[in-house]
Structures are given as structure tokens and as C-alpha cells.
């Protein structure tokens, strides 16, 4: 009579079991660190792309030079400022969704909490990178024309956000996606 028993561990030490819980496998610290840094770097690149897209898509307010180095808005009731903020928010949602989805698929589901923290930190950083990139686009040209322009010259102003609450769209979308996927997978694994 032969007895068989199942091993208490389905895989070799150090192996990641694809069916195991999120982050339950013990990945080497260097691999986890590399995945975390990749999420941060990827988030910064997505933020840079978002800022450049914002600079291309957002409307800019029209200014008129009133004296050397000074300009005034042509139409004080322009919607360019609100439309610029709305464009940034929309790009922030899309960028945050991309960071959350890619961060989850490439790092969080395999390496657990450290990459998830990187999704939060990276998407917050991406918001600031996008803001900086968008605001820098056209600023030097505007400043130059403002200083050398003649009275009555019309200039398109560089972008700026009306409030810093718009920055929250990036991490909010990223964490909702990545965290939502973690919760969904955990709920499906429960008996």
C-alpha cells in the first residue's frame, strides 16, 4: 500500500506561483526595487508626455501689450483659463489611468506593496512634471515678446493652472485603478 501526500508548498522557494495571491511570493529585494524604480521612471515619462500634450491642446488666453514688459488680458471673460484647467484634468485622468493600469500589470501584481506605493508617488510626481512641462512650453517666447513687443501687440500667454487641486486627478485615477484591480483580484481569490 502506498501513501501519497501533497507537499505543503506548491512551488520551489523563491519561485513565483502565478495563481498565488498578489505579492505573496517572495521576490528578491533587488527585483522588487527595480520594479519600483521602473514604476517611478515610467510615471515621470507619462507625466512629461501629458504636459507636452496639455501644451498643445489647451487654449491660451490672448494678451495685449500695454507698456514695456506689461500686458493685459484682451477679454477678461475668456474661457481659456477654465478650458486650460479642464484639459489638464482630463489629461491627468488619462495619465493616471495609464500609470495605474501599467503599474499594476507590470509591478504591483508581482511585487506587492512597494510598487503600489510607487504608483502613488509616481502619479503624484507625474502631476507636477506635467504641470512644469506644460507651463514651460511657450514661456520663453512670451517673455521675450513681452519685453520687445510694441504697444498693442497681441500675445498668447503660457499655460497656468487656476488651482492646485487639479493635480489630484493624476494620483486619484492611478490609485483607483491599481487599488481597484488589487481588490478585485483578492475578492475573486476568496472561497
Amino acid at each position: 500500500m502506498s501513501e501519497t501526500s501533497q507537499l505543503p508548498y506548491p512551488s520551489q522557494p523563491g519561485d513565483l506561483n502565478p495563481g498565488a495571491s498578489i505579492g505573496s511570493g517572495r521576490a528578491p529585494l533587488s527585483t522588487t526595487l527595480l520594479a519600483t524604480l521602473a514604476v517611478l521612471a515610467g510615471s515621470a515619462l507619462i507625466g512629461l508626455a501629458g504636459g507636452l500634450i496639455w501644451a498643445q491642446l489647451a487654449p491660451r488666453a490672448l494678451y495685449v501689450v500695454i507698456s514695456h514688459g506689461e500686458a493685459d488680458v484682451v477679454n477678461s471673460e475668456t474661457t481659456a483659463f477654465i478650458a486650460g484647467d479642464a484639459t489638464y484634468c482630463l489629461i491627468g485622468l488619462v495619465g493616471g489611468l495609464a500609470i495605474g493600469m501599467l503599474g499594476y500589470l507590470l509591478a504591483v501584481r508581482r511585487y506587492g506593496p512597494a510598487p503600489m506605493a510607487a504608483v502613488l508617488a509616481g502619479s503624484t510626481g507625474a502631476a507636477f512634471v506635467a504641470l512644469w512641462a506644460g507651463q514651460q512650453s511657450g514661456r520663453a517666447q512670451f517673455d521675450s515678446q513681452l519685453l520687445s513687443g510694441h504697444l498693442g501687440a497681441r500675445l498668447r500667454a503660457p499655460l497656468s493652472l487656476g488651482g492646485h487641486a487639479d493635480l489630484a486627478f493624476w494620483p486619484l485615477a492611478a490609485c483607483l485603478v491599481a487599488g481597484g484591480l488589487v481588490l478585485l483580484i483578492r475578492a475573486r481569490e476568496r472561497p
Side-chain angles (χ1 to χ4, degrees):
M1 187 181 251
S2 100
E3 274 185 49
T4 60
S5 65
Q6 292 183 343
L7 294 174
Y9 302 104
S11 62
Q12 297 295 321
D15 288 350
L16 290 177
N17 183 357
S21 292
I22 297 167
S24 65
R26 294 283 182 202
L29 183 61
S30 61
T31 308
T32 302
L33 182 62
L34 216 81
T36 302
L37 291 174
V39 169
L40 292 171
S43 298
L45 290 175
I46 291 173
L48 181 61
L52 296 175
I53 291 169
W54 180 44
Q56 292 299 312
L57 296 181
R60 297 171 186 255
L62 186 62
Y63 280 73
V64 62
V65 176
I66 56 172
S67 71
H68 181 71
E70 288 186 46
D72 240 347
V73 177
V74 171
N75 178 5
S76 61
E77 295 180 15
T78 183
T79 60
F81 300 113
I82 294 171
D85 283 11
T87 304
Y88 180 86
C89 292
L90 181 63
I91 290 169
L93 282 174
V94 173
L97 291 172
I99 291 168
M101 181 64 76
L102 291 172
Y104 173 79
L105 291 174
L106 300 176
V108 173
R109 72 178 176 169
R110 290 188 182 125
Y111 306 109
M116 185 63 192
V119 167
L120 173 60
S123 58
T124 302
F128 285 98
V129 169
L131 176 65
W132 176 82
Q135 287 181 340
Q136 294 307 310
S137 176
R139 180 169 301 279
Q141 181 183 5
F142 176 80
D143 290 343
S144 172
Q145 290 176 342
L146 184 61
L147 291 173
S148 64
H150 61 280
L151 292 177
R154 293 179 180 253
L155 312 170
R156 292 282 173 192
L159 294 172
S160 66
L161 282 182
H164 291 294
D166 300 341
L167 297 169
F169 281 89
W170 288 83
L172 180 65
C175 290
L176 280 176
V177 169
L181 287 170
V182 168
L183 290 175
L184 181 67
I185 298 300
R186 295 271 172 135
R188 288 180 61 193
E189 289 177 350
R190 288 188 180 160

